[in-house]
Amino acid sequence: MPLRLALLLLVTGLAAGCVSSGYDSPLQTGKGREEARVAYVQLGLGYLRQGMSEQAKVPLKKALELDSDDADANGALALVFQAQAEPELADQYFNKALASRPADPRLLNNYGSFLFEQKRYDQAYRYFQQACADTLYPERSRVFENLGVASKRLGQRDIARQHLEKALHLNSRQPRALLEMAELSYEDRHYVPARDYYERFSLLSGQNARSLLLGVRLATVHEERDTAARYGQQLERLYPGTPEYQQYLSEQ
């Protein structure tokens, strides 16, 4: 990969190259160590994005050898262990990262997402709240989306709606928030806005078991039998073993 090759060349150059300033190696300078650390973290994240979590550990370990308290390296390792279904280690590295940068919205949001995955919804909500306090965070819409989903899991429907609406005000092209709003509106028997949210979701995302079940329900409410049948057939073909399909059968 071009990016990985560039990073490898950078790291190799930093580790082995000499400079004319009188130092034997760039790694003996603060600037050189910082550049190497950043390159190692980016390389590790690159491996992780490609699903190569074992390989990601190698450069991230090197980054921590340069600075054991580095928030980026510890946060990246937390994501690695989360991907490997090792929650205790993920929790440990998330907390170490946040000890160095406790107000970092990206770290707070990532840790909140991890806690949500562990069904620790109350804790997740608190970290999402902290993350959205940074009004300049470029992924703030995602944080409000996460707040909405966490609120919904906690049974706070009105608060969930407020957070999801805020998320869509910040970025209207968020499939997950649109599907959540479609489901909330359907449950409240607001069928016209529910279909609007659902159609916007469908333009941005592929279907899943949950969205197909909602599609059947909305089409049935609007007396669109062919559409309901089509969604039902997709649900049967693609997700026959899911709770959504069993729910679909029970509603027929």
Side-chain angles (χ1 to χ4, degrees):
M1 294 291 180
L3 174 60
R4 192 192 308 169
L5 178 59
L7 289 167
L8 281 169
L9 289 172
L10 174 59
V11 169
T12 302
L14 287 166
C18 295
V19 292
S20 59
S21 62
Y23 291 97
D24 294 331
S25 164
L27 292 182
Q28 293 180 4
T29 72
K31 181 181 177 183
R33 291 172 66 84
E34 174 67 11
E35 289 175 348
R37 182 196 59 74
V38 170
Y40 281 133
V41 172
Q42 291 305 309
L43 183 57
L45 289 171
Y47 280 126
L48 182 60
R49 291 187 191 103
Q50 295 178 59
M52 303 165 69
S53 61
E54 282 296 298
Q55 291 88 336
K57 292 179 180 178
V58 178
L60 293 175
K61 180 182 177 182
K62 290 182 179 297
L64 288 178
E65 288 171 355
L66 292 170
D67 181 358
S68 62
D69 294 324
D70 180 62
D72 293 322
N74 282 299
L77 267 173
L79 295 175
V80 168
F81 286 117
Q82 182 180 356
Q84 294 182 336
E86 296 197 58
E88 294 83 3
L89 286 170
D91 204 316
Q92 173 186 326
Y93 280 98
F94 272 125
N95 278 288
K96 191 168 184 181
L98 284 165
S100 297
R101 287 213 302 268
D104 186 311
R106 178 180 54 83
L107 289 173
L108 291 165
N109 188 49
N110 285 346
Y111 189 39
S113 297
F114 164 75
L115 293 169
F116 184 91
E117 185 181 279
Q118 297 299 308
K119 305 186 188 308
R120 295 158 63 181
Y121 303 126
D122 280 318
Q123 291 174 284
Y125 185 88
R126 291 198 293 273
Y127 280 95
F128 292 143
Q129 275 189 313
Q130 293 178 58
C132 76
D134 186 340
T135 58
L136 298 181
Y137 180 48
E139 294 293 321
R140 197 162 175 249
S141 61
R142 300 292 184 193
V143 182
F144 277 105
E145 181 182 77
N146 289 336
L147 277 167
V149 175
S151 300
K152 192 177 176 188
R153 288 296 180 94
L154 291 167
Q156 301 168 344
R157 291 170 51 82
D158 291 341
I159 295 175
R161 182 182 295 278
Q162 292 171 22
H163 288 314
L164 292 167
E165 287 175 345
K166 176 66 173 179
L168 291 170
H169 279 306
L170 293 171
N171 179 4
S172 62
R173 298 176 62 83
Q174 294 191 89
R176 186 185 185 193
L178 289 166
L179 182 60
E180 295 288 348
M181 285 297 292
E183 193 170 74
L184 281 170
S185 299
Y186 172 81
E187 291 169 356
D188 291 339
R189 300 187 179 184
H190 299 156
Y191 299 129
V192 172
R195 183 162 66 173
D196 176 63
Y197 284 120
Y198 186 80
E199 289 175 349
R200 289 164 60 191
F201 159 82
S202 299
L203 289 172
L204 296 170
S205 174
Q207 299 285 355
N208 54 48
R210 181 181 168 204
S211 66
L212 287 170
L213 177 60
L214 182 57
V216 171
R217 290 169 168 172
L218 286 169
T220 300
V221 166
H222 290 284
E223 298 183 353
E224 298 168 348
R225 292 185 179 84
D226 290 345
T227 302
R230 186 175 74 253
Y231 284 137
Q233 289 165 5
Q234 291 180 50
L235 190 55
E236 180 180 17
R237 185 177 73 255
L238 299 173
Y239 305 102
T242 60
E244 288 83 1
Y245 180 61
Q246 295 304 314
Q247 183 64 34
Y248 163 73
L249 291 177
S250 71
E251 293 176 9
Q252 300 308 299

